[in-house]
Amino acid sequence: MVAKISHWIDGKTWGGVAARTGEVWNPATGEVSGHVDFASQTEVDEAVAAAARALPAWRDKSLAARSKVLFAFRELLAANRDELAAIVTAEHGKVLDDAAGEVGRAIENVEFACGVPALLKGGFSENASTRVDVYSMRQPLGVVGVISPFNFPAMVPLWFVPNAIACGNTVVLKPSEKDPSAANFIAELWQRAGLPDGVLNVLHGDKVAVDGLLTHPTVRGISFVGSTPIARYVYETGTSHGKRVQALGGAKNHMVVLPDADLDLAADAAVSAGFGSAGERCMAVSVVVAVDPVGDELIERIKTRMAALHVGDGTRSGCEMGPLVTAAHRDKVASYLDTGVSEGASLVVDGRGHEIDGASSGFWLGPTLFDQVRPDMSVYRDEIFGPVLSVVRTDSYESAVTVINDNPYGNGTAIFTNDGGAARRFQNEIEVGMVGVNVPIPVPVGYYSFGGWKDSLFGDTHAYGPDGLHFFTRTKVVTSRWLDPSHGGVNLGFPRND
């Protein structure tokens, strides 16, 4: 059955006959599973107008009332996590366990936002001058746009939407057109949780929808996750139109393995972080920096683990890695295998020969391993965004740090060692925003913030956690003098905060 995915605007499915549509694929079968409406400027205007209409009432809701909706949404999200995971697997291709883990991390961010009454407290200075008090408050931006990528269709929207809503904003969410259904399902859960119509609107589409949000005068802020070239475009276009923008870009994440490391732990980590979700994640490890003499032994252990990976349809029991999201993306990733060889890298494991547990028409590429990769090669320079792991050899800790710091990306990195001094030195010297010590994918928990340095981030604030609250609010300072006391009379009832 082929479904049609329409926009979710003002609490209802909104669309009709779309001027343009896109195909949604099941990556495991290579079959079209649906069509998605692509927004015109008219739909963009309608979604923003719905958010603007809902803003005054939602902005003025008490923190207690907002928090109540967030708690209800958290419970619904947890109760429906399996159904949401199945939607993600059907359109993205990642295996069900991985999709369920994605939903679990999303729940963490909702739980953080549930604490908004404690998180939005301002400061107060009594008698800053004689009988003059000064205090600060944090108030919402207004209507904000969230533009999310295909690789985490449930988690990334929920990096931003809960904090934005908790802070009193209204939201227009533009998910990836490659896997759009998760966003509509999430919007329905918000509605069931009691979120008023118009507070969250889902707008499907491509560059027309993106540009419509970036240039719309009513939209006050933009949160984006995607590739570095598009992140730069989003940041420059949004800020030139007077918006606050946080644009998280691409990555080339390195994992350093020192000679004293536990090589079994390091090999497990390299395979898990390199090939989970078929490498389609911005925190995937794509480069192992082996500080010799451990290179040969480490590669042998990685090869053994790669050979045992069960690659196939994410709905089948035991599958550990699924297909890539589209045929075009699979072909682009596969092209790097020949390019790497032509540039002089050693192709240790060719993923095109891996056994597949799934339909031959799926968008498959098995795990791939290169050795003897140099920083001047395209397999090193480019964000491949697929199951391709490169090994760079170095002869010292210092040269390993130089390799990473010379890279234009600065998203995530990790070091594997049993030397606490080396680890402490590494976390101090490395020019990367998120660092793992014997942890291959150092994604911060929901009460910290996510984001990289250099070409991996455009803007001043990271995603979710404390930075998320700062992004979605503006500080206001009030200087106040009251000359005469007053009161509201006697009321013996219990104080209420609603």
Side-chain angles (χ1 to χ4, degrees):
M1 179 179 178
V2 176
K4 179 183 178 184
I5 300 98
S6 297
H7 317 298
W8 179 275
I9 298 175
D10 213 5
K12 59 185 179 296
T13 302
W14 197 93
V17 180
R20 298 180 305 123
T21 62
E23 292 178 322
V24 181
W25 299 80
N26 181 333
T29 64
E31 298 174 341
V32 174
S33 60
H35 292 87
V36 57
D37 287 349
F38 279 11
S40 66
Q41 187 61 49
T42 299
E43 282 84 25
V44 174
D45 291 342
E46 179 63 27
V48 174
R53 288 193 298 269
L55 177 64
W58 182 249
R59 179 186 57 206
D60 292 340
K61 282 280 188 185
S62 70
L63 292 173
R66 289 186 223 158
S67 185
K68 182 179 179 180
V69 173
L70 284 156
F71 273 107
F73 175 71
R74 187 267 175 210
E75 292 306 302
L76 286 167
L77 189 60
N80 291 275
R81 65 187 301 167
D82 291 342
E83 185 174 354
L84 181 54
I87 292 171
V88 171
T89 294
E91 293 185 351
H92 174 273
K94 65 180 66 176
V95 300
L96 279 170
D97 282 349
D98 195 12
E102 172 183 345
V103 178
R105 293 307 298 265
I107 291 172
E108 286 185 15
N109 296 315
V110 178
E111 290 169 345
F112 174 81
C114 286
V116 66
L119 299 169
L120 287 186
K121 293 187 294 186
F124 189 94
S125 296
E126 185 180 18
N127 269 351
S129 185
T130 305
R131 291 187 297 278
V132 173
D133 304 324
V134 180
Y135 52 96
S136 64
M137 60 184 74
R138 304 199 69 89
Q139 295 186 324
L141 292 180
V143 177
V144 297
V146 174
I147 304 167
S148 63
F150 74 83
N151 59 324
F152 287 101
M155 183 181 72
V156 170
L158 294 175
W159 279 0
F160 303 110
V161 172
N163 279 339
I165 287 174
C167 292
N169 302 278
T170 56
V171 182
V172 178
L173 166 63
K174 208 299 284 184
S176 171
E177 67 278 15
K178 294 181 177 68
D179 43 14
S181 297
N184 279 24
F185 185 79
I186 288 169
E188 292 176 15
L189 294 182
W190 277 110
Q191 186 181 54
R192 288 168 56 187
L195 191 70
D197 291 348
V199 176
L200 172 63
N201 307 277
V202 180
L203 188 70
H204 298 290
D206 53 5
K207 190 175 185 296
V208 172
V210 171
D211 286 346
L213 292 175
L214 292 177
T215 59
H216 201 292
T218 304
V219 176
R220 306 302 297 270
I222 295 287
S223 299
F224 171 87
V225 177
S227 69
T228 285
I230 306 303
R232 182 180 285 110
Y233 170 80
V234 166
Y235 180 75
E236 292 174 351
T237 305
T239 54
S240 71
H241 285 82
K243 305 184 193 317
R244 181 181 290 185
V245 180
Q246 52 179 173
L248 282 70
K252 199 71 180 180
N253 301 317
H254 300 71
M255 181 180 124
V256 176
V257 182
L258 295 186
D260 71 317
D262 181 324
L263 293 189
D264 284 323
L265 175 65
D268 288 342
V271 173
S272 298
F275 305 121
S277 198
E280 292 176 327
R281 51 190 182 195
C282 65
M283 289 299 287
V285 166
S286 55
V287 180
V288 173
V289 184
V291 180
D292 280 330
V294 302
D296 290 343
E297 186 177 355
L298 178 62
I299 285 175
E300 286 302 313
R301 298 185 190 210
I302 290 174
K303 282 174 55 181
T304 299
R305 288 158 172 79
M306 290 174 63
L309 285 181
H310 190 176
V311 179
D313 189 324
T315 63
R316 298 187 181 182
S317 176
C319 285
E320 299 167 287
M321 187 182 108
L324 277 77
V325 68
T326 64
H329 184 58
R330 185 270 315 278
D331 294 344
K332 178 181 178 182
V333 173
S335 72
Y336 279 95
L337 277 61
D338 293 330
T339 300
V341 171
S342 69
E343 292 178 335
S346 173
L347 184 57
V348 179
V349 178
D350 187 336
R352 292 170 294 195
H354 201 95
E355 183 178 351
I356 302 300
D357 181 7
S360 60
S361 54
F363 308 142
W364 308 107
L365 180 63
T368 294
L369 179 65
F370 279 109
D371 189 16
Q372 305 296 337
V373 173
R374 302 187 310 272
D376 62 296
M377 297 177 178
S378 60
V379 291
Y380 175 83
R381 295 193 315 269
D382 298 349
E383 184 186 25
I384 298 175
F385 220 64
V388 179
L389 187 62
S390 297
V391 176
V392 173
R393 308 278 192 124
T394 68
D395 58 4
S396 67
Y397 162 88
E398 289 79 10
S399 57
V401 169
T402 298
V403 166
I404 299 172
N405 285 348
D406 285 348
N407 192 277
Y409 295 110
N411 205 46
T413 190
I415 186 169
F416 279 73
T417 179
N418 285 313
D419 185 337
R424 194 171 189 277
R425 180 181 173 188
F426 181 80
Q427 68 188 37
N428 180 58
E429 295 177 343
I430 211 69
E431 296 174 9
V432 175
M434 293 172 283
V435 180
V437 177
N438 297 319
V439 174
I441 305 179
V443 177
V445 293
Y447 44 87
Y448 280 82
S449 296
F450 178 103
W453 291 5
K454 300 188 287 189
D455 284 354
S456 294
L457 177 72
F458 300 87
D460 298 325
T461 56
H462 290 176
Y464 68 76
D467 273 19
L469 294 176
H470 286 293
F471 180 81
F472 289 116
T473 57
R474 296 180 292 180
T475 300
K476 179 180 288 184
V477 178
V478 178
T479 302
S480 173
R481 175 191 291 157
W482 294 101
L483 302 180
D484 299 311
S486 63
H487 60 81
V490 175
N491 184 345
L492 300 185
F494 194 83
R496 298 179 60 176
N497 60 9
D498 57 356

